[in-house]
Amino acid sequence: MAGALAGCDTGASDAAQGGEEVAAETAAHEFTGILERSFAGDALPDVTLTDPDGTTLKLAEATGQPVLLNLWATWCAPCVAEMPLLDDLAGDLAGQVRVLTVSEDMNGAEAVVPFFERHGYRNLPRWMDPANDLAFKFGGGAVLPLTVLYDAEGREVWRMMGAYDWSSEDARALIAEGLAESAAAGR
């Protein structure tokens, strides 16, 4: 199962995987995300997520508001680098876009809870997918981080494969463009 996530966008030639969280200092790298639109129209995956308290979320039913879905892991340096940017983005877009961060750490709450406590994210949910069901729905070899924008009907608008600077004007424009296209299409 760990091989399914071997695509962590580390920016290095060796995509070593481990079960340990990377330090924020080791997360400095270039944001090299690649925008992909070929999956536009695909539905939110039918996967059930859990949070550390045992609350569940059936992802396919997370409609009614646009969703920015981010797959990440504590051991993925680019993922860790993105998290504060996604936290700020989630705060800025509250009420417009629901930002869902989903940890693919196999250790679940054991890895996620201390990570969130240490970093103090205020706007991000702590959803987990320790069985990697969501990664398998994205083809089994999903590059981490993977961020997908869905419209309010639960249809994919675009996906960003790899790390991206979510604090940039380009990111905000990309989200606004995706939401406008979605609204224009009547979705």
Side-chain angles (χ1 to χ4, degrees):
M1 222 177 327
L5 297 175
C8 181
D9 175 27
T10 63
S13 60
D14 61 336
Q17 300 256 337
E20 300 192 19
E21 177 184 336
V22 296
E25 305 83 59
T26 65
H29 68 287
E30 291 185 35
F31 292 104
T32 58
I34 298 170
L35 182 65
E36 176 64 54
R37 296 178 189 262
S38 65
F39 298 96
D42 286 1
L44 271 162
D46 188 16
V47 172
T48 300
L49 309 173
T50 59
D51 74 3
D53 298 324
T55 302
T56 60
L57 171 66
K58 190 164 180 71
L59 190 56
E61 296 173 2
T63 58
Q65 179 180 22
V67 170
L68 188 68
L69 175 69
N70 174 265
L71 279 70
W72 70 283
T74 59
W75 45 260
C76 172
C79 301
V80 173
E82 272 192 338
M83 292 300 279
L85 305 176
L86 285 166
D87 188 52
D88 290 343
L89 183 70
D92 292 348
L93 296 179
Q96 300 170 44
V97 177
R98 183 177 182 186
V99 178
L100 297 178
T101 51
V102 181
S103 168
E104 295 296 308
D105 284 277
M106 292 182 191
N107 293 338
E110 184 180 315
V112 172
V113 170
F115 178 85
F116 270 76
E117 287 174 357
R118 195 166 25 264
H119 296 285
Y121 301 125
R122 300 177 322 269
N123 303 303
L124 297 178
R126 299 185 289 176
W127 294 110
M128 301 173 301
D129 176 34
N132 296 157
D133 293 332
L134 190 52
F136 285 114
K137 291 286 185 179
F138 284 113
V143 170
L144 292 183
L146 173 66
T147 306
V148 185
L149 179 65
Y150 291 92
D151 65 18
E153 302 284 321
R155 298 285 170 204
E156 183 169 331
V157 178
W158 50 254
R159 66 179 64 180
M160 185 63 65
M161 299 182 305
Y164 191 67
D165 182 357
W166 297 106
S167 68
S168 71
E169 288 183 29
D170 287 343
R172 306 303 170 112
L174 188 59
I175 292 169
E177 172 196 330
L179 296 178
E181 287 175 11
S182 173
R187 292 193 258 174

